[in-house]
Amino acid sequence: MNRTYVVTGAASGIGAATTELLRAAGSTVITVDLHDADIEADLSTTDGRKNLVDQVRERSGGRIDAIIAVAGLVAASPVTVGVNHFGAIATLEGLRPLLAGSDAPRAAVVASLAALEETDPGLLEALERGDESAALAEAERIGTDTTPTGSSPIYTTTKLAIARWVRRVAPTPEWAGAGIALNAIAPGVIETPMTRPALDSAEGRDALDAGAPSPLNGPAAPPAAPAALLAWLTRAENTHVTGQIVFIDGGAESIRRPDQV
Ligand SMILES: NC(=O)c1ccc[n+]([C@@H]2O[C@H](COP(=O)([O-])OP(=O)(O)OC[C@H]3O[C@@H](n4cnc5c(N)ncnc54)[C@H](O)[C@@H]3O)[C@@H](O)[C@H]2O)c1
């Protein structure tokens, strides 16, 4: 069955691997990114988000089968709030009406194992209220602070907030009630341009390993691993998995909080 997917962050890393996998299986993929994509849109801006929805509507004829929101960045900067949280939600909510014509509509977003690290309560509260200008101000306040494991609390907090958003909205009439499965994946360390600078030094590898110990098949999975998970979650055969945060981390989450089930 030929399905039409929209993949954001498709020019690199996990988004590129997902696009490649879906196209190899015969699906149509409309790619979105800042550059090297069918639709070039900056998801940190209102104009970019509108452009994404308008162009997907035009290119798809108003009907898509799945949305995979991968675009994100790790920078200790307010733009991370704009892309990782509000850009992802604008993608998912903005394109949701175009899923109405599909007989197996699905959606997925990429959160992170980093959501288990220290987060910032002020930023989390602004994100959960959906107040973008307050959240951007909180990110300015946080600046380049780091968590004990060296991550930016801006990054960790955006990833916790998007995971909680998925849990909140997935079972609602707009999503589950419309037959749309909505899930997040939470990768540990994936070998992409995002992690390359850290993976390139012994110190960086030790820091990543401390935050994301991976007894199954070692650290730094290839992007094909999360791509396959995203592809399954958004295929027609996923009829009943929704509202889940699926960790793909070689065992790190089960080490870090074994009793949380
Ligand atoms: N690599 C990892 O270890 C890892 C772990 C956990 C979660 N993640 C998440 O996976 C997702 C993909 O990361 P990746 O490792 O493939 O990184 P990547 O840097 O290889 O790819 C991210 C893509 O997002 C795009 N992007 C960034 N800002 C954008 C904007 N304003 N508008 C549109 N597109 C934009 C970039 O251009 C890039 O192509 C991110 O959300 C990231 O937080 C990655």
Side-chain angles (χ1 to χ4, degrees):
M1 183 175 47
N2 183 25
R3 284 169 63 76
T4 300
Y5 290 75
V6 176
V7 177
T8 71
S12 176
I14 297 170
T18 305
T19 300
E20 192 184 322
L21 185 68
L22 294 170
R23 284 185 173 155
S27 294
T28 299
V29 183
I30 301 172
T31 58
V32 184
D33 208 302
L34 287 171
H35 50 80
D36 300 313
D38 298 323
I39 300 172
E40 297 189 352
D42 180 349
L43 297 177
S44 70
T45 68
T46 311
D47 280 355
R49 296 168 194 162
K50 182 179 179 311
N51 185 21
L52 156 79
V53 174
D54 290 347
Q55 286 205 52
V56 169
R57 189 181 291 114
E58 200 179 302
R59 281 174 175 267
S60 66
R63 180 193 174 284
I64 60 173
D65 296 288
I67 310 160
I68 305 184
V70 185
L73 69 172
V74 78
S77 154
V79 71
T80 297
V81 163
V83 180
N84 293 12
H85 192 74
F86 295 101
I89 293 176
T91 301
L92 293 160
E93 289 287 12
L95 297 178
R96 182 166 50 80
L98 305 188
L99 293 171
S102 173
D103 49 14
R106 308 283 181 259
V109 59
V110 181
S112 175
L113 178 73
L116 304 193
E117 291 185 36
E118 198 171 276
T119 54
D120 183 88
L123 176 56
L124 186 60
E125 197 262 333
L127 293 173
E128 297 208 318
R129 265 191 297 123
D131 185 337
E132 187 161 3
S133 36
L136 292 171
E138 292 287 346
E140 286 286 1
R141 171 187 56 75
I142 295 166
T144 55
D145 285 358
T146 55
T147 68
T149 51
S151 303
S152 164
I154 300 174
Y155 182 71
T156 61
T157 308
T158 60
K159 293 303 185 180
L160 177 61
I162 198 70
R164 285 190 178 180
W165 180 84
V166 165
R167 308 260 317 144
R168 266 199 315 278
V169 307
T172 61
E174 292 76 20
W175 291 90
I180 309 168
L182 169 66
N183 293 283
I185 69 162
V189 180
I190 311 297
E191 210 176 327
T192 71
M194 181 179 279
T195 50
R196 174 55 47 214
L199 288 169
D200 277 348
S201 77
E203 196 189 20
R205 282 196 303 277
D206 287 349
L208 288 177
D209 199 42
S214 177
L216 179 69
N217 292 325
L229 182 55
L230 286 166
W232 187 84
L233 288 169
T234 54
R235 273 213 287 268
E237 68 196 274
N238 174 20
T239 54
H240 283 79
V241 177
T242 199
Q244 298 304 303
I245 313 303
V246 186
F247 287 84
I248 172 160
D249 61 3
E253 186 262 351
S254 58
I255 290 173
R256 290 185 55 169
R257 48 175 202 181
D259 297 332
Q260 190 131 350
V261 293

